[in-house]
Amino acid sequence: MPEVRYHRVLLLLCSLLWGAGTYAAGQVTQQPQATDAVVAMYRLTQSQYRQSVADIFGDRVRIYGRFEPDYRRDHLLATGSAWASVSPSGFEQYEQMARGIAEQVLGEEHRQRFLACEPGIVEVHTDTCIRLFLAEYGEKLFRRPLTAGELASRLEVVAQVLETGGDVHDGLQYALASLLVSPEFLFRIETVEQDPRSPGQYRLTAYSKAARLSFFLWNTTPDAQLLAAAQRGALHDDAGLRAEVKRLLASPRLETGMRSLFADMLRFDTFPEVSKDAALYPVFTSAVAEAMQEQTLQTLVQHLLVEDADYRELFTRASMPMDRRLGMVYAVPVVAQGWDSYQFGDASARGGLLSQASLLSLHAHAGSSSPTLRGLFVRETFLCQIVPPPPADVDFTLEEAFAVEATARERLQRHRSEPACAGCHQLMDPIGLTLEQFDGVGMFRTRENGKPIDVSGELDGRSFSGAKGLGQALSEHPRVPECLVDTVYRYAGGPQDAAVQRRLLQSLNTQFAESGYRLRKLLQQIAISEDFYAVSLQGDRVL
Amino acid sequence: MRRGIGRALGLLGLYCGVSVLAYAGSGSAYAASIADAGLTNRASGYLITEFRLVTPGAGPEDCPDGFNEGYSQRFLATLSPTEREAHEQDPRLVQQALAPWYYDDPDQDPCANPAAFPDPGMHTIERPLAMPRMEPDGSMSERELPPARCPSPDVFAGQVEQRTIDNQYWRVMGCVRGYQPTGLAAAFADSAILDGSMTILLSVAERERSDDGAVDVGIYSSHQPVTVGTDGKPLPFASLSVAEEARYHNVARGQLRNGVLTTDYFDLRIIQAAQRLDSELYLRDARLRLEMDPGTGRASGYLAGYWDLASLAHAAIRIQDRTGRSSGKPAADAHGYTCPGKYYAVHRLADGHPDPDTGNCNSISVLYSVRAVPAFVLGAGMQAPL
């Protein structure tokens, strides 16, 4: 923004829009109104904010500011977004980002790309240009057309800037910034309306449906075609909805969306916090950490989207993308300068998703592996099971007594011998111990402190050995595909009503199995399901 | 005969084509990784992580006349005490007085054209020394020996494979402050490798139908920088391609017995670059001896050979930089010697490859210490492992 004197204009509008912070995020319950009652608000995650801005204004627009941390709930950031709010300091950051974006969009260098006409020639023409700009970008940012009041308030902002000596472009910058700090942009707000086909019933508005669909499959704001479909009511029609879902699933942007799902599910947002002992694991550089995540995301995209393969086979897949950075972790030659596929042989101990360095590094300590953390991760992420947290009165003196043992299996003996520990650790350690041939950053080893590593273990009564054995056991575990259905459903932000959830999940599980456990089919089934958009009433309240 | 084989292998390297030349060496944890990757131990690859001149350090008995002096010190010695004090307090005065440091005309540059300048003298180590040398059987010894002498051409040709390869270059540089164990040369010894200026790869392949440990060894320059880990050292298991220039594909026959690799004699040319330096190292009748650590898969040992004096003059006196100019004068001053002094000293102490016409030796023995980690050595358009 060019002048500080305009700042009060923005602050005035922000406070007006923010309603003194009375908006609260989350699954909200409201009395149904005649029209458009709010039923849910999801704060955009960092990646959704970035992707939305890039899609609306182009990926050359830089975002300057620090995002409030995303909030993970029930193992997903997507679920946590329904519970996240904006703190005062977080709002300051959003405001800073908004001003930065607006400056870039309406600065001299780029404004021609965004303005349909050049304001300022004649007064009438100027007013039209301002309205056109605000209407177009207001709809893109709010994911629905602006109301008359919303448009009028932005026009007032422009007018105030003009009154204080600014020009039209300055005014538009402030108006655009006000759109970017509005809760209507920062939150995906779902609203319901009376369902004309079922008097007395409510349904999600078409624009809410469009946004839910777009953020689910693309992790970004709806494109013009989807908004147009919403505008003409096509999303309330089964054929219209199916057509849009088909289009979204066929788009290359599906990969972007699914990368977000995978990263969320595998908790890659915690990777920046991972630190490793520099002397023990010199290979764990920031570049390698980045490549580890990319390898896993590429594996999932290749297996589940490109090859449209059976989800369960992910746990036994022998090939994985490899680049030269990772070649140093896996101790394999990489001829290509970029990414290439590497096939691990039958004799290799490595195979399947769980033997990838990203997961092995993420679920380990700074100076060692961790069978417990790895076992916990498998239980929570691939079996959707809850393992209670450790008791507050854990006696670590016993832990120290076992610290002198050479192998993790020996060191974890206490977990099995102490009744207070065994209850939970027997759920985790026998899984994680099968991955012990991979150290704290996933490098292969056969010995720990000079002693051979025993990789026998078990999962829910099935005994096996090593990472490949674990992969095989998971690929045949009935809970594994059900867990993915559950995870994808929760990620998509489906209804919270227990009865609807139960019905939909049952149906999705059946269809997922019938499809041969194909993710694309699962995505489609969720996206076209009527239950996915269902709004339930409890008494006279919308859930 | 051995050169014929070397050339044949070199040509093979030049014209043939494929991918992985050799991969990481054996060793318990490392061998496990390699086995896990589905590879065998028929061929091994290494990345050289340390390549240092062996400079044992000198005492007063080695340099009775003291250390040599660089241009600045020599200049200061010519000044009156008052003037000297003023120059010592403001080093810019010395810089100005001795300018230019970089010459546009190589003929005027005492480092680019040292033979055109008179010998200012250089203190060298003349007394018998006990220091590491490579014996004809490939072993290392530390016998106390007097300086080697330049043999007659027929003697050298007839006895090259029976000669101990000395380290006469240390005798030249032993009385230079910058070449002491705590000097500049040691401080920057591996910087060229770490900063990516100089990457050297090694491949060791069992010779087919051989059960006596016979191996083919390749030493290559690479244009790809090493990857440094969080401990500040080059990481093992990197995949690195050899330089395309066949000039930098050096091959030798050798033996790998009881974890010790020794090569026959071979000529070595590798890119020698560092900071400003852009040159090459040319050793004649070189030999490599490496001990392979089965516990780590790493290797360490020595490379001995005769440094061709023309190559030495280019890389270590002229110090050809990447702009085509000589950085020799500032380098000599920083270490503490003069270029003509060093030029004449290396010729005086040269002990290899005498010229049949003049009888003057054209190379000087030198010893490098070498360390290596397992790596994947990728061919540049080669068809088969060497």
Side-chain angles (χ1 to χ4, degrees):
Chain A
M1 296 284 167
E3 297 290 341
V4 176
R5 63 196 155 118
Y6 302 135
H7 197 200
R8 64 184 176 83
V9 181
L10 186 60
L11 287 177
L12 178 73
L13 188 64
C14 291
S15 61
L16 182 74
L17 291 166
W18 204 249
T22 52
Y23 268 108
Q27 294 286 338
V28 294
T29 306
Q30 287 195 358
Q31 296 291 329
Q33 303 297 311
T35 56
D36 295 7
V38 174
V39 290
M41 294 175 68
Y42 301 86
R43 195 185 76 194
L44 296 193
T45 61
Q46 183 178 157
S47 65
Q48 288 170 343
Y49 184 105
R50 288 185 181 282
Q51 195 60 51
S52 296
V53 169
D55 288 344
I56 294 169
F57 299 113
D59 53 15
R60 280 191 295 180
V61 171
R62 295 278 168 262
I63 296 172
Y64 303 107
R66 194 179 63 253
F67 285 88
E68 285 210 283
D70 291 326
Y71 172 61
R72 184 174 293 280
R73 186 181 170 92
D74 296 336
H75 309 302
L76 287 177
L77 296 177
T79 310
S81 70
W83 298 83
S85 61
V86 175
S87 68
S89 65
F91 183 72
E92 283 176 16
Q93 292 295 321
Y94 279 128
E95 192 215 340
Q96 182 183 322
M97 290 187 264
R99 288 154 59 91
I101 293 165
E103 273 179 23
Q104 292 172 73
V105 168
L106 288 154
E108 270 187 49
E109 196 182 343
H110 300 299
R111 68 172 65 127
Q112 296 300 329
R113 286 176 51 215
F114 300 104
L115 289 169
C117 50
E118 181 55 40
I121 299 172
V122 292
E123 197 174 324
V124 175
H125 187 61
T126 298
D127 186 57
T128 305
C129 278
I130 293 168
R131 283 175 180 275
L132 276 173
F133 177 82
L134 292 175
E136 180 186 349
Y137 288 95
E139 179 173 351
K140 288 179 174 176
L141 290 166
F142 283 15
R143 303 172 278 275
R144 59 164 175 73
L146 297 187
T147 64
E150 288 165 345
L151 181 58
S153 65
R154 270 68 189 194
L155 290 170
E156 178 60 24
V157 169
V158 178
Q160 284 197 31
V161 172
L162 292 173
E163 275 174 26
T164 50
D167 65 17
V168 174
H169 298 123
D170 297 335
L172 284 175
Q173 279 189 34
Y174 281 96
L176 176 59
S178 81
L179 292 170
L180 284 160
V181 293
S182 167
E184 303 286 346
F185 170 66
L186 298 177
F187 288 79
R188 179 164 63 84
I189 299 173
E190 292 192 336
T191 55
V192 292
E193 62 189 5
Q194 295 271 3
D195 187 345
R197 288 178 299 192
S198 306
Q201 300 293 309
Y202 290 86
R203 68 179 184 185
L204 279 180
T205 61
Y207 287 109
S208 294
K209 273 188 174 181
R212 182 181 284 193
L213 202 51
S214 183
F215 280 98
F216 168 36
L217 295 177
W218 287 358
N219 197 44
T220 188
T221 198
D223 67 354
Q225 203 170 329
L226 189 55
L227 287 174
Q231 195 269 330
R232 63 175 185 272
L235 300 182
H236 290 314
D237 169 67
D238 185 54
L241 178 63
R242 282 176 181 270
E244 280 304 303
V245 168
K246 185 178 178 185
R247 184 177 72 83
L248 264 61
L249 286 171
S251 166
R253 300 171 83 181
L254 180 69
E255 178 180 333
T256 310
M258 291 304 103
R259 277 174 167 259
S260 171
L261 162 65
F262 303 145
D264 192 352
M265 176 178 162
L266 300 174
R267 306 176 204 180
F268 279 179
D269 58 297
T270 60
F271 236 102
E273 298 157 22
V274 174
S275 67
K276 299 291 177 185
D277 187 305
L280 283 176
Y281 304 121
V283 75
F284 195 81
T285 61
S286 57
V288 165
E290 187 184 307
M292 286 176 174
Q293 297 168 71
E294 180 59 22
Q295 178 189 50
T296 299
L297 294 176
Q298 280 193 24
T299 303
L300 289 158
V301 166
Q302 179 67 26
H303 188 85
L304 297 173
L305 296 183
V306 178
E307 297 173 14
D308 199 19
D310 187 327
Y311 168 66
R312 299 168 305 170
E313 291 170 1
L314 202 50
F315 297 95
T316 56
R317 188 181 173 93
S319 68
M320 55 180 84
M322 196 69 69
D323 74 356
R324 289 193 176 184
R325 292 170 296 182
L326 291 180
M328 295 185 288
V329 177
Y330 291 87
V332 298
V334 182
V335 175
Q337 289 285 355
W339 287 93
D340 203 357
S341 179
Y342 189 86
Q343 184 85 17
F344 284 93
D346 291 341
S348 171
R350 210 181 285 268
L353 188 68
L354 289 173
S355 66
Q356 293 204 342
S358 61
L359 304 181
L360 294 163
S361 298
L362 199 53
H363 304 286
H365 297 302
S368 68
S369 64
S370 173
T372 303
L373 291 179
R374 288 172 180 174
L376 176 66
F377 170 68
V378 169
R379 286 277 177 205
E380 288 184 340
T381 305
F382 298 113
L383 295 168
C384 294
Q385 294 170 337
I386 296 169
V387 179
D393 60 346
V394 173
D395 182 358
F396 286 104
T397 56
L398 278 171
E399 202 79 42
E400 288 165 13
F402 282 84
V404 296
E405 301 292 348
T407 66
R409 183 177 294 274
E410 293 164 317
R411 292 192 294 276
L412 294 177
Q413 178 65 36
R414 183 223 165 179
H415 288 167
R416 295 190 291 280
S417 59
E418 284 289 310
C421 306
C424 293
H425 278 278
Q426 68 181 6
L427 294 173
M428 302 177 285
D429 296 359
I431 297 174
L433 285 168
T434 64
L435 298 171
E436 270 300 282
Q437 280 184 329
F438 305 108
D439 69 13
V441 294
M443 291 188 79
F444 183 74
R445 59 184 180 174
T446 54
R447 292 172 174 271
E448 186 178 11
N449 295 317
K451 201 164 180 181
I453 294 170
D454 173 2
V455 286
S456 59
E458 67 93 22
L459 172 65
D460 297 340
R462 176 174 173 168
S463 297
F464 51 85
S465 179
K468 281 185 163 176
L470 175 60
Q472 192 65 42
L474 279 171
S475 73
E476 294 167 12
H477 197 298
R479 187 70 192 121
V480 165
E482 290 174 5
C483 179
L484 181 73
V485 171
D486 186 60
T487 302
V488 176
Y489 173 79
R490 287 186 293 110
Y491 174 85
Q496 303 296 301
D497 180 76
V500 175
Q501 262 194 25
R502 214 170 21 250
R503 187 173 65 225
L504 182 54
L505 285 174
Q506 196 172 18
S507 160
L508 291 172
N509 276 318
T510 304
Q511 290 168 334
F512 190 39
E514 286 173 356
S515 74
Y517 302 101
R518 265 62 182 178
L519 178 67
R520 279 183 176 276
K521 196 68 180 171
L522 174 63
L523 298 174
Q524 186 205 24
Q525 291 300 336
I526 292 174
I528 63 172
S529 163
E530 201 172 308
D531 278 344
F532 180 54
Y533 305 99
V535 178
S536 303
L537 286 176
Q538 191 176 72
D540 59 351
R541 294 156 73 89
V542 179
L543 281 183
Chain B
M1 176 61 185
R2 64 174 193 278
R3 292 211 174 99
I5 293 167
R7 286 203 187 93
L9 289 170
L11 286 172
L12 181 68
L14 182 60
Y15 293 113
C16 311
V18 191
S19 50
V20 179
L21 258 183
Y23 38 83
S26 59
S28 59
Y30 289 85
S33 296
I34 293 307
D36 185 62
L39 304 173
T40 68
N41 283 325
R42 277 198 57 78
S44 304
Y46 295 89
L47 163 68
I48 306 292
T49 56
E50 181 182 304
F51 191 73
R52 299 181 177 184
L53 285 166
V54 175
T55 54
E61 66 280 15
D62 298 313
C63 306
D65 298 318
F67 285 133
N68 290 285
E69 293 180 334
Y71 292 98
S72 298
Q73 290 166 304
R74 285 170 178 256
F75 169 71
L76 289 170
T78 64
L79 302 178
S80 68
T82 312
E83 284 179 318
R84 184 161 57 244
E85 187 181 348
H87 281 74
E88 283 173 342
Q89 285 177 355
D90 186 356
R92 285 175 303 178
L93 296 175
V94 178
Q95 295 290 313
Q96 288 163 7
L98 292 173
W101 290 87
Y102 300 95
Y103 293 79
D104 291 328
D105 180 2
D107 288 342
Q108 303 298 315
D109 185 343
C111 299
N113 190 21
F117 292 79
D119 183 2
M122 182 162 181
H123 306 316
T124 56
I125 302 178
E126 301 296 335
R127 77 179 189 94
L129 283 180
M131 62 178 176
R133 298 179 182 86
M134 191 170 285
E135 298 294 343
D137 64 357
S139 66
M140 300 301 295
S141 72
E142 286 201 39
R143 291 177 293 146
E144 186 172 271
L145 294 174
R149 297 293 171 204
C150 182
S152 65
D154 53 333
V155 167
F156 183 82
Q159 296 183 349
V160 65
E161 295 186 9
Q162 285 81 48
R163 287 190 79 193
T164 296
I165 304 178
D166 210 319
N167 185 4
Q168 290 280 97
Y169 188 62
W170 167 244
R171 290 186 178 277
V172 174
M173 303 307 290
C175 298
V176 173
R177 185 173 284 103
Y179 276 73
Q180 301 311 306
T182 54
L184 274 180
F188 290 93
D190 298 320
S191 63
I193 292 174
L194 294 172
D195 71 17
S197 301
M198 188 171 158
T199 302
I200 311 167
L201 305 173
L202 173 71
S203 69
V204 183
E206 284 178 33
R207 201 170 302 149
E208 284 189 24
R209 294 183 295 280
S210 170
D211 56 2
D212 61 352
V215 292
D216 290 318
V217 178
I219 301 178
Y220 311 89
S221 286
S222 169
H223 292 299
Q224 295 172 342
V226 303
T227 303
V228 178
T230 54
D231 58 355
K233 297 173 185 169
L235 289 169
F237 295 125
S239 295
L240 294 160
S241 303
V242 305
E244 289 186 1
E245 301 96 311
R247 179 183 185 82
Y248 301 123
H249 299 176
N250 307 276
V251 292
R253 292 201 155 193
Q255 297 78 41
L256 180 57
R257 296 193 185 108
N258 301 319
V260 179
L261 168 73
T262 50
T263 69
D264 297 344
Y265 293 81
F266 65 102
D267 287 352
L268 173 82
R269 273 186 201 275
I270 53 173
I271 295 169
Q272 189 171 28
Q275 295 186 331
R276 300 178 69 96
L277 175 63
D278 182 19
S279 188
E280 68 176 29
L281 176 68
Y282 175 34
L283 298 187
R284 302 170 67 181
D285 288 308
R287 298 190 73 185
L288 180 68
R289 174 196 167 85
L290 287 178
E291 293 182 12
M292 312 305 204
D293 184 338
T296 63
R298 295 172 187 240
S300 62
Y302 295 95
L303 173 74
Y306 295 90
W307 196 348
D308 178 77
L309 292 189
S311 164
L312 188 156
H314 191 267
I317 299 177
R318 175 174 181 151
I319 309 185
Q320 170 81 51
D321 75 12
R322 288 170 188 178
T323 65
R325 293 198 302 183
S326 163
S327 294
K329 188 171 172 182
D333 195 49
H335 284 101
Y337 64 85
T338 66
C339 292
K342 179 174 179 178
Y343 175 82
Y344 290 110
V346 293
H347 279 80
R348 189 169 67 249
L349 289 168
D351 58 342
H353 303 93
D355 185 293
D357 296 329
T358 66
N360 296 329
C361 274
N362 287 326
S363 66
I364 186 166
S365 56
V366 66
L367 186 66
Y368 285 88
S369 66
V370 175
R371 289 184 186 276
V373 296
F376 299 102
V377 180
L378 309 177
M382 295 185 182
Q383 272 180 5
L386 293 180

